[in-house]
């Protein structure tokens, strides 16, 4: 926390306007496709399918005319942790009796199963990073929330307050950069008063926790008070929860949108058939 | 000040009691909506920045406090709010996680929703009375339990969906989960106390 | 509207308001009234200013007017109906709009245009009409070009204009501004004021809550609050006739009122006006001196006026030393991202010990960033910062710098985290290694400086008002006993009396303790009153470092940079312009000096007859 540049970490809402078919896609369709693809990445455990998915997502990313490095820059700080996790998986995997043991020294046991597992994790991880970046870099936050509202709207019949949920999400997204600036200001202000994060001995959990009070308490309490002002601002502008509201934004689907959705369904369906279909026969 | 005129006016005020209750109801719903949204925003902020991690000795080298906004939402606004902030916390750890396990929504999202719900019930069970010290204790317990729920459910889900040995997960849950729960208990209590203005009545400042 | 035209827009009938606080520790606060027995009416189309000290109940009043709070006793009627009815039926936004002080806490959406559409969505306006109205509202405040921006990427003034657009989109007849200008820079404030006047001129009812007397002068009527009571309901003209009363009510006497008094003394104000605008002043002079050429007054009769009085430290010669030296400083935020900003470029300056320096500049010009360098919080990359002989770039000296340079941040009242006042103020001393008795002494001294009673040390911080919290924050910086004090917009949102007290405290700190003081402000009056040196920043560049008198002696350059002249020279300038006189040199900067000059004009004219 030395350079006090907290806002730098706030990567949400980093919409990069480009002229690509992915940018032009109806956000509702984009969202549905995103869900389908994430499902595919999470559900199928065949390493081959995962490789193909990674390849496809990379191609999509390039089609969106977005710089690959931009998505990677978000992952870079995580690389050491990913490494640790991989080692952990390789070492502590529960593998079946048929696994080939490569190394066995004391409690240490490296099996082919463990390595395959680690490889699978990495491919999945990268695919998801690509997909998430693809969605967020090519769609503005506002479009995303409106798409979500419409995609979720069937849930209204189950008496789920979709309007409220989307309103909460919008406000939350609106507040994140604001609170980031606030947190940054607090860090500077408290550092100026001699706050030093982490001078207590390493085992003094309570003291170390208390050393973050100067930032976290005003951050939380200030944010909640700000929320109370916002309640008033919303109310004088006539907001009443649960009421019927018209919408400023209207989304219109086009032919490319339908094609994209159908294509996604076919691809994911094919993989599903590959995975589960074989076993059914 | 208590002139007869003033008493007259209080009668006039009863013109709109029905409307007042409608307004009050919709206001409290807006309020809980916004407070929940703000806590969700903090949850996202913590997950994106180093603020969400406190350097105390654990397996990962620091204790995460990402569960704290979820617990606060449960305590301040109820189980649904807790569930919502939990969902946002889960989604954001799914979308931004550096941890390979969390790229599985069953591990990252579902347990987090449950933190909110369970914390609410823990707090509702404990904090019945109005006594200040007792409320502080209930907050401590809720903060601890909420965080423990996070550790146990997430690692439980990892155990179910990933072929990792039980013993190793149990070790993590102790080495990582225990300090995290302590940190979370302290923070939850301090923040709620500062927000709602709960102070032990005889407290003196250090310099007194 | 047609039916209710006969009714007053607002009618307050013996209104009380009491905040119920559920804290049993402070039962004395639980029974304080925020408003007490308030009655008044506001008619359609009036332009009303509401003033009063911090905590006098102004914001509470605005909330009662918009149905955000319900009176504890008494009634609030809007166009003849209880205001709650409007809220309950959702018609309120079509009648009344409220703009808050903090531009950040009032926008809902992640894009400007959707934020403006929010009220319209709530009113169920059809899609096509909504687009028209959003465009009209944004055009009106001049923000149409920014409709696709995210609100957090706008400047304060721009955010506030969006907030106004999102209120007027619903088409209200009445707008209430709760200190809507207090967090803005000169330009932003001027824009919002102009917008208020324009709205008033186009038939809207405008109600503005403010601590700035120039905004009061804009209005037709003024309500003065004092400790929850409506102390006066009058016109600005009448109000400022009563100088003593004005001061008692924690307000300020504006230049126009001082001139009115001057003319009264000279027998040129028989109709007893409380305020005299520059044009009026010239007109009166011209009328009195029948046929006399007003230009005769342009003689340099005011040469012998002293420049504003400056106290210098007792032993200035020995201790004058450059405590701050900045050379070729650059700063870039968010390097290598789309949001990269050059906040400072090639800034060089020096500040002497015991000097009071003011940093001024438009919003985003880099003032706060510069302040952070003086404190060892940022390490200069390109550039050299030496403070108190310590190298600002060296990690080892950072801690020492933070101790010897106290820094009060923007909105410092939001940075309090301890539960008790004493602990909060003692935090700094403890962090810098004080023992308990030492800390106690430091806290006591600091609390005395800011006029807080030492017995308040055991008070919970959450039970303080905004102004009191600001004092606690100031005390907690002073408790470190710094040699240099850096304050970022310390007077924003304070009432005139509190502002005066703060300025006096700063002057005392310099005179008695030889403290070097550097403060950021948007108020040039404060610069003139307090500063020895003014540093003007523009887009990250230091465009000027001079004494306030030198800088302001070229008024055209000052206004070209977007600043408004301080009240007194601005008045003199307007007089000169109206009377086709050359500007006096030196330009009188303080009201007292301006009055002497204006007085000499009167004399001259009479002598000319
Ligand atoms: N939410 C609240 N709970 C309890 N007391 C409050 C609350 N809001 C305001 N008060 C108290 O009510 C009084 C009037 O407050 P109000 O905010 O109306 O003052 P104000 O005139 O707007 O002041 P300022 O110029 O500082 O904005 C103050 O004494 C304040 O401490
Ligand atoms: N933490 C930050 N991250 C990114 N950009 C920043 C940060 N802080 C300031 N900036 C940018 O740097 C520029 C200078 O900011 P700074 O806060 O120094 O201005 P300022 O003169 O203090 O303005 P104000 O009057 O609004 O306080 C602005 O364009 C601002 O947007
Ligand atoms: Mg106020
Ligand atoms: Mg600033």
């Amino acid at each position: 926390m030395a350079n006090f540049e907290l806002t730098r970490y706030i990567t949400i809402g980093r919409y990069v306007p480009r002229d690509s078919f992915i940018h032009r896609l109806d956000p509702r369709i984009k969202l549905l496709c995103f869900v389908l693809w994430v499902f595919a990445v999470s559900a199928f455990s065949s390493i081959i399918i995962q490789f193909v998915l990674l390849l496809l997502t990379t191609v999509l990313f390039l089609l969106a005319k977005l710089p690959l490095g931009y998505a990677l820059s978000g992952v870079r700080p995580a690389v050491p942790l990913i490494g640790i996790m991989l080692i952990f998986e390789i070492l502590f995997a529960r593998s079946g009796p048929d696994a080939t043991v490569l190394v066995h020294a004391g409690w240490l046991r490296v099996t082919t199963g463990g390595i395959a597992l680690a490889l699978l994790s990495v491919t999945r991880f990268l695919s998801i990073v690509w997909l998430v970046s693809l969605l967020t870099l090519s769609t503005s936050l506002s479009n995303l929330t409106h798409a979500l509202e419409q995609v979720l709207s069937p849930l209204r019949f189950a008496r789920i307050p979709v309007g409220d949920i989307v309103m909460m999400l919008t406000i939350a997204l609106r507040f994140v950069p604001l609170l980031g600036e606030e947190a940054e200001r607090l860090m500077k202000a408290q550092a100026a008063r001699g706050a030093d994060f982490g001078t207590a001995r390493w085992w003094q959990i309570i003291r170390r926790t208390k050393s973050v009070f100067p930032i976290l308490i005003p951050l939380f309490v200030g944010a909640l008070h700000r929320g109370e002002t916002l309640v008033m601002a919303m109310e004088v502008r006539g907001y009443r929860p649960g009421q019927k509201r018209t919408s400023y934004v209207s989304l219109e689907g086009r032919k490319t949108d339908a094609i994209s959705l159908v294509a996604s369904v076919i691809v994911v369906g094919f993989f599903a058939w590959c995975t589960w279909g074989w076993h059914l026969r | 000040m208590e002139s007869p005129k003033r008493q007259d006016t209080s009668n006039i005020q009863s013109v709109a009691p029905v409307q007042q209750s409608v307004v009050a109801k919709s206001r409290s719903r807006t309020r809980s909506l916004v407070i929940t949204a703000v806590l969700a925003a903090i949850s996202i902020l913590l997950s994106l920045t180093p603020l969400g991690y406190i350097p105390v000795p654990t397996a990962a080298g620091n204790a995460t406090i990402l569960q704290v906004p979820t617990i606060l939402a449960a305590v301040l606004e109820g189980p649904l709010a807790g569930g919502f902030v939990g969902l946002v916390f889960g989604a954001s750890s799914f979308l931004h996680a550096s941890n390979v396990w969390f790229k599985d929504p069953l591990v990252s999202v579902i347990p987090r929703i449950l933190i909110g719900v369970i914390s609410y019930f823990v707090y509702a069970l404990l904090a019945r009375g109005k006594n200040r010290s007792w409320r502080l204790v209930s907050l401590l317990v809720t903060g601890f339990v909420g965080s423990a729920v996070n550790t146990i459910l997430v690692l439980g889900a990892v155990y179910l969906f990933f072929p990792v040995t039980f013993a190793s997960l149990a070790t993590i849950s102790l080495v990582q989960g225990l300090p995290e729960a302590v940190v979370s208990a302290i923070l939850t209590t301090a923040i709620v106390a500062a927000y709602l203005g709960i102070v032990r009545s005889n407290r003196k400042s250090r310099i007194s | 509207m047609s039916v209710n035209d006969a009714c007053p827009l607002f009618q307050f009938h013996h209104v009380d308001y009491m905040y119920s606080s559920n804290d049993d520790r402070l039962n004395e606060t639980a029974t304080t009234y925020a408003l007490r027995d308030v009655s008044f009416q506001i008619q359609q189309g009036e332009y009303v200013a509401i003033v009063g000290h911090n905590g006098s109940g102004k914001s509470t009043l605005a909330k009662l007017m918009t149905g955000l709070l319900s009176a504890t006793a008494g009634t609030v009627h809007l166009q003849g109906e209880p205001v709650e009815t409007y809220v309950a039926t959702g018609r309120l936004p079509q009648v009344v709009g409220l703009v808050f002080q903090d531009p950040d806490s009032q926008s809902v959406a992640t894009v400007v245009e959707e934020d403006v559409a929010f009220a319209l969505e709530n009113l169920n306006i059809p899609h096509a009409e909504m687009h028209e109205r959003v465009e009209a509202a944004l055009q009106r405040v001049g923000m149409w070009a920014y409709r696709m921006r995210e609100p957090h990427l706008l400047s304060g003034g721009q955010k506030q204009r969006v907030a106004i657009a999102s209120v007027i989109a619903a088409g209200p007849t009445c707008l209430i501004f709760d200190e809507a200008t207090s967090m803005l820079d000169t330009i932003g404030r001027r824009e919002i004021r102009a917008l208020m006047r324009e709205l008033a001129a186009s038939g809207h009812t405008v109600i503005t809550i403010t601590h700035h007397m120039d905004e009061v002068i804009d209005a037709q009527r003024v309500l003065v609050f004092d400790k929850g009571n409506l102390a006066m309901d009058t016109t600005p003209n009448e109000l400022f006739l009563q100088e003593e009363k004005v001061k008692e009510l924690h307000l300020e006497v504006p230049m126009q009122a001082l001139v009115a008094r001057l003319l009264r003394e000279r027998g040129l104000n028989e109709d007893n006006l409380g305020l005299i605008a520059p044009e009026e002043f010239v007109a009166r002079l011209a009328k009195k001196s029948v046929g006399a050429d007003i230009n005769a007054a342009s003689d340099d009769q005011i040469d012998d006026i002293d420049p504003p009085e400056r106290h210098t430290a007792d032993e200035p010669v020995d201790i004058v030393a450059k405590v701050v030296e900045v050379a070729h400083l650059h700063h870039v935020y968010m390097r290598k991202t789309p949001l990269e900003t050059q906040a400072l470029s090639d800034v060089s300056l020096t500040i002497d010990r015991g000097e009071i320096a003011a940093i001024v500049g438009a919003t985003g010009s880099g003032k706060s960033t510069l302040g952070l360098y003086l404190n060892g919080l940022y390490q200069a990359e390109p550039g050299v910062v030496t403070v108190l002989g310590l190298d600002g770039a060296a990690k080892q000296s950072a801690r020492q710098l933070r101790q010897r340079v106290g820094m009060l941040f923007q909105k410092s009242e939001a940075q309090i985290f301890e539960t008790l006042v004493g602990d909060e103020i003692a935090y700094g001393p403890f962090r810098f290694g004080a023992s308990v008795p030492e800390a106690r002494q430091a806290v006591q001294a600091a609390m005395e400086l800011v006029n807080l009673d030492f017995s308040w040390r055991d008070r919970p911080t959450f039970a303080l008002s905004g102004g009191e919290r600001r004092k606690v924050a100031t005390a907690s910086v002073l408790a470190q006993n710094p040699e240099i004090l850096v304050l970022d917009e310390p007077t924003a949102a304070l009432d005139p009396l509190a502002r005066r007290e703060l300025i006096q405290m700063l002057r005392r700190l310099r005179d008695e303790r030889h403290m070097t003081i550097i403060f950021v402000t948007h108020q040039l009056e404060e610069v003139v009153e307090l500063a020895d040196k003014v540093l003007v920043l523009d887009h990250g560049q230091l465009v000027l470092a001079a004494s306030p008198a030198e800088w302001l002696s070229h008024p055209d350059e000052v206004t070209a940079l977007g600043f408004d002249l301080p009240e007194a020279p601005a008045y003199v300038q307007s007089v000169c312009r109206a009377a086709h006189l050359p500007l006096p040199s030196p330009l009188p900067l303080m009201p007292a000096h301006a009055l002497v000059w204006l007085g000499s004009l009167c004399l001259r004219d009479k002598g000319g007859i």
Side-chain angles (χ1 to χ4, degrees), chain A residues 4-5 7 184 188, chain C residues 333-334 341 343 361-370 378 410 488-489 522:
Chain A
F4 304 108
E5 278 219 329
T7 31
E184 198 176 305
K188 291 172 191 161
Chain C
Y333 281 109
M334 310 282 280
T341 325
T363 181
S365 55
K367 305 182 296 296
S368 301
T369 311
L370 181 58
Y378 284 169
Q410 256 168 309
D488 200 346
E489 300 186 29
H522 290 307

Side-chain angles (χ1 to χ4, degrees), chain B residues 1-3 5-24 26-27 30 34 130-132 135 190 193-208, chain C residues 13-16 22-25 33 36-38 67-75 77 82 84-85 87-89 229 417-423 426 430 436 439-440 443-444 454 457-458 460 462:
Chain B
M1 276 288 157
E2 287 302 315
S3 67
K5 216 192 226 165
R6 298 184 57 73
Q7 275 148 19
D8 289 346
T9 61
S10 57
N11 291 334
I12 301 173
Q13 209 201 345
S14 61
V15 178
V18 180
Q19 278 141 359
Q20 256 177 31
S21 80
V22 172
V23 171
S26 112
R27 174 171 308 152
T30 312
V34 172
K130 279 218 156 175
N131 179 302
R132 246 178 278 106
R135 271 174 85 188
Y195 177 52
L196 297 181
I198 313 174
V199 189
R200 268 181 291 134
S201 46
N202 51 357
R203 242 188 95 185
K204 290 252 184 249
S205 75
R206 254 178 91 189
I207 50 160
S208 289
Chain C
H13 191 69
H14 299 289
V15 171
D16 283 353
N22 51 6
D23 172 50
D24 43 6
R25 181 187 152 118
Y33 281 86
R36 184 91 197 165
D37 197 15
V38 173
L68 290 169
L69 296 174
S70 293
T72 320
T75 52
H77 283 253
E84 288 84 5
T85 319
V87 180
T89 53
N229 296 300
F417 63 94
E418 289 277 11
T419 340
L420 301 175
V421 170
D423 289 335
F430 279 131
V436 173
R440 188 186 156 88
V443 171
Q444 187 162 9
F454 189 49
R457 63 188 184 277
D458 294 327
F462 62 79

Side-chain angles (χ1 to χ4, degrees), chain A residues 231-253:
Chain A
V231 173
M232 294 192 277
M234 285 168 72
E235 205 174 295
V236 289
R237 280 154 75 187
Y239 181 77
R240 282 171 304 157
Q243 74 183 355
K244 199 177 154 292
R245 307 174 73 233
T246 44
S247 175
Y248 180 74
V249 177
S250 62
L251 301 171
E252 284 156 26

Side-chain angles (χ1 to χ4, degrees), chain A residues 175 217-232, chain B residues 31 34-35 38 194-197, chain C residues 102 105 414 462 469:
Chain A
F175 262 68
I217 289 182
L219 179 68
F220 273 87
V221 175
L224 292 170
H225 285 310
R226 248 168 210 263
E228 277 164 21
T229 313
L230 183 63
V231 173
M232 294 192 277
Chain B
R31 194 176 168 283
V34 172
I35 295 292
V38 168
Y195 177 52
L196 297 181
Chain C
D102 183 358
S105 328
F462 62 79
R469 288 174 71 90

Side-chain angles (χ1 to χ4, degrees), chain B residues 130-175:
Chain B
K130 279 218 156 175
N131 179 302
R132 246 178 278 106
S133 314
W134 179 241
R135 271 174 85 188
L136 292 176
V137 173
S138 324
L139 283 170
L140 273 174
V141 175
T142 312
F144 190 92
V145 173
S147 177
V149 167
N150 180 28
T151 315
I152 293 168
L153 290 185
V154 166
L155 292 181
V158 168
Y159 183 71
L160 281 183
F161 302 117
F162 289 83
V164 181
T165 56
F166 181 79
S168 58
L169 289 177
T171 320
I172 302 184
S173 77
L174 273 184
V175 182

Side-chain angles (χ1 to χ4, degrees), chain C residues 254-308:
Chain C
M255 191 64 205
Q256 292 199 15
L258 295 175
V259 174
R261 188 186 59 193
L262 175 81
L263 289 189
R264 208 174 309 132
E265 285 162 5
R266 299 284 156 88
L268 290 170
N269 191 2
E270 285 104 11
D271 42 350
N272 216 13
L273 289 183
L275 294 167
I276 291 194
E279 298 71 28
E280 174 70 16
F281 176 81
V282 174
R284 274 169 194 248
L285 284 195
K287 225 186 300 165
K288 270 290 151 186
S289 49
V290 203
D293 184 8
I294 196 166
N295 287 319
S298 60
D299 265 42
D300 279 352
Q301 208 216 350
I302 34 100
D303 260 356
D304 46 35
I305 292 177
D306 303 329

Side-chain angles (χ1 to χ4, degrees), chain C residues 461-478:
Chain C
T461 45
F462 62 79
L464 301 175
S465 76
E468 288 160 358
R469 288 174 71 90
R470 182 77 67 88
K471 284 185 176 177
V472 169
T474 313
S476 61
V477 173
L478 291 175

